[in-house]
Structure formats: structure tokens, C-alpha cells
Amino acid sequence: MAGESDYGAFTEKFIIQPSSSPDQELPLKGLTFAVKDIFDMEGYVTGFGNPDWARTHSAATTTAPAVLAMLNGGATCVGRTVMDEMAYSINGENKHYGTPKNICSPDRLPGGSSSGSAVAVGGMLVDFSLGTDTGGSVRVPASYCGILGFRPSHGVVSTSGVIPLAQSLDTVGWFARDADILNRVGRVLLQLPEVEPVKPTHITIAEDCFQLLSIPSHRVTSVLVKSVEKIFGGHIVKYACLGDYVKDNVPTLKHFKGERLEDQEYNVAPLAALSSAYRRLERSEFKNNHGEWVSTVKPDLGPGISERVWAAVRSTDENIDVCHSVKTELRAALTALLGVSIPLGTYDNLPVSISLLAKHGSDGFLLNLVETLYGTLKEQIDIAQELSY
């Protein structure tokens, strides 16, 4: 394991050079990257965040296509990063390998499950890194660590050679410190041609979600709105109640109303019901993927993870068809979900971020939009922070 100088980000360090000639001009030439310990790499055991998993599995005989794409794009891999055990947490802690240090806020968790990948980028140990995002495992650590994180449309980046958590929801995501590298990595992974950025026709702010913030909502929304106004004009900014929209367009959610979600003070009830459906689907697929191994090996798991894993293993597949119906209806309603986490500076010395969503398959458009907005966002962040002092 790496020492303190690596902020605890790595489980293993090594060098894998690009598979191309150094004379070739490639989009990722000269960049370094790290890989979450969930991706297969030929000759290395994929640890899945747990020593018992590593002990009971052989070295990979092939490399995951997402990692190969980075190497073929000219980037150099420098190691594997710490992750939450079996990717089944969002905190970023690991009993066995330690908790990577959140450079942006050292007394706080880095977020997970792609914690080491986020810290490696936030700590400037690499130019970018690969992670996975099932329910926020790229977006959450990106937000906590004050860097950029991208979850692509489900199914557009190959998850072959990636240990599944819940394949109906799993995606390969990535981290970077600046929008240019985020875009370049995305274009390689998504196999996108270079095109001129397309102007958005509207940007909708989910007012009910921002009302849940523990900091003044205008500290987040005003930065985005002023940036959009400056570049595209204020007429494209719209406001909506996302909870009502989901309630009206995902009728199968009525099956989850009996779970006493309506009374939760800090939830938008339809979105809390949606979260419940997501967790049930994730639990079922995790059990199908790993239940037999867990029951046989009885791995040593850290607190929190252990309870969650065994609850999944002992669960029944009740209403799983309903969960799939919810997913289908939501995709139809929102043309699926796609998100990117953008850092918006700090509030009370803690990082603040915002997520942008676009319709399924609009990954290139969203990458270009982030790159277009990012410079102006940073200007507005500086102004907002000066006004808050």
C-alpha cells in the first residue's frame, strides 16, 4: 500500500505505459491515470476492495475495455485505487486499506465507493482516474473532494471486465480537475467525434431539491444561473418541481408509498420512493451476483458494509419486476438520467458542487456544456465567495 504522501489513495502502484508509439499524437498523450480496484487488468488480481476477495480470485487474464481505451488513447496508468468494499457504500471508508484523505476537507470523508480514484485526482497524483457509478459512486466523491466527476448514460461505456454491483444501474465514470481533460477522457471512452458545442435550448432548475440544502440555495443556484445568463441568455433558464414531475410520470412508484416516505422531513417524497425502488433493485442484483461467494467465504467486512451485504444476501426478490417498471418509466419520463458533478467552490470551508443532467445519449453535449460553462462558473464562484465574507 502507498504511504501518506499518496493520501492513502492507492492499494497498489505500478506503471503501465501506453500501447502506442510515443511519436503518435493521441488525445490523452502525456496524461497519467489511476484505476478503481474493480476493473480487471491483465496479470493483476482485481481486489474489489476486500482482501478475502483478492485471496479467493485469480489474476485477470484480460484488461477491461475502458482501461484499454485509456492506454490506447496515450495515457499512462500508475496504479489501482482504494474503494469501498464490494462497492456497496457511498462513504469512502475501507477497514482493510484505510480511508483515503479528502484533500479538500481533511477532517471529512472522501465519499465512495470510488474514493481513492477521487482523492488521486484531488491530490494531483494523476491527471484523471476511472471509477464506477451505480448510485452516485463517482458524483458523490467528486462533490466531496471538490473535483469534476462524470457518470455517463447507462450502457454507453462498456462495463466488461468490471466486477458488477448491480448491472441494471452500473456505469463506468471518470474524474478530472479541469473540464478540458474531463472532456478528452469522455470522448475517448464514448468514442465521440469532435463536434462544435450545441447551445442548450433550456436549463431547468429543480427547485424542490435545492430547498433541501443545508446552505443557502442561492449560493448554488445563483452561480449557475448567472453563468448561463452570461453565455446563453437568461431566457433558457426554467424552474420545475422535480418531485411532482416524477410523481406524475412514474405511476408505478405508487407501490412504494406504503414505506412511510411521505413523512420524512428532508426528503422529496416521490424521489424518496424512487430511491427505495433503486435500493431494492440494487440489493437483488448484488445478491444474485455475489450472494453465493459471501455465504461460502464469509469475508471479513467492515462496519456498515457487513450489515448491508448480509441484509442483501438474506433478502428476497420481492417486487423486483415493479422496480424494473419504475426504471423503464423513469427513463421514458426523463429520457433517462445522466449527471456530472461540478465543483462550485466552498461554503464554510467545505466544498459545494452541483449536478447537471441531460437526456440519455447526450453525453457529448453535456461534456461540451461543462467545458463551455466552467470558466464563467469559476468567475461567479469567486464573486459569490467575496460577497459571503
Side-chain angles (χ1 to χ4, degrees), residues 50-131:
N50 179 269
D52 286 327
W53 182 278
R55 175 178 58 80
T56 55
H57 289 79
S58 302
T61 57
T62 58
T63 298
V67 178
L68 283 176
M70 302 296 91
L71 295 169
N72 292 336
T76 299
C77 180
V78 300
R80 307 171 71 95
T81 55
V82 174
M83 59 178 282
D84 289 38
E85 295 178 76
M86 305 187 79
Y88 210 5
S89 175
I90 208 74
N91 291 332
E93 299 171 292
N94 190 297
K95 166 186 173 180
H96 310 283
Y97 303 114
T99 299
K101 186 175 182 179
N102 185 335
I103 312 304
C104 196
S105 186
D107 61 335
R108 303 294 177 111
L109 292 172
S113 62
S114 307
S115 54
S117 291
V119 168
V121 170
M124 300 186 181
L125 305 175
V126 292
D127 297 302
F128 70 92
S129 61
L130 296 182

Side-chain angles (χ1 to χ4, degrees), residues 322-381:
V322 174
C323 295
H324 282 287
S325 296
V326 167
K327 182 173 181 265
T328 300
E329 290 172 3
L330 182 67
R331 176 168 288 195
L334 301 180
T335 325
L337 290 174
L338 179 152
V340 54
S341 183
I342 304 175
L344 297 185
T346 61
Y347 184 86
D348 283 347
N349 295 318
L350 297 174
V352 177
S353 292
I354 192 168
S355 276
L356 300 184
L357 308 177
K359 68 179 183 179
H360 187 273
S362 297
D363 306 80
F365 161 78
L366 191 56
L367 283 166
N368 281 333
L369 177 62
V370 171
E371 189 167 8
T372 301
L373 278 174
Y374 197 49
T376 306
L377 277 172
K378 288 195 285 188
E379 292 175 8
Q380 295 300 326
I381 291 164

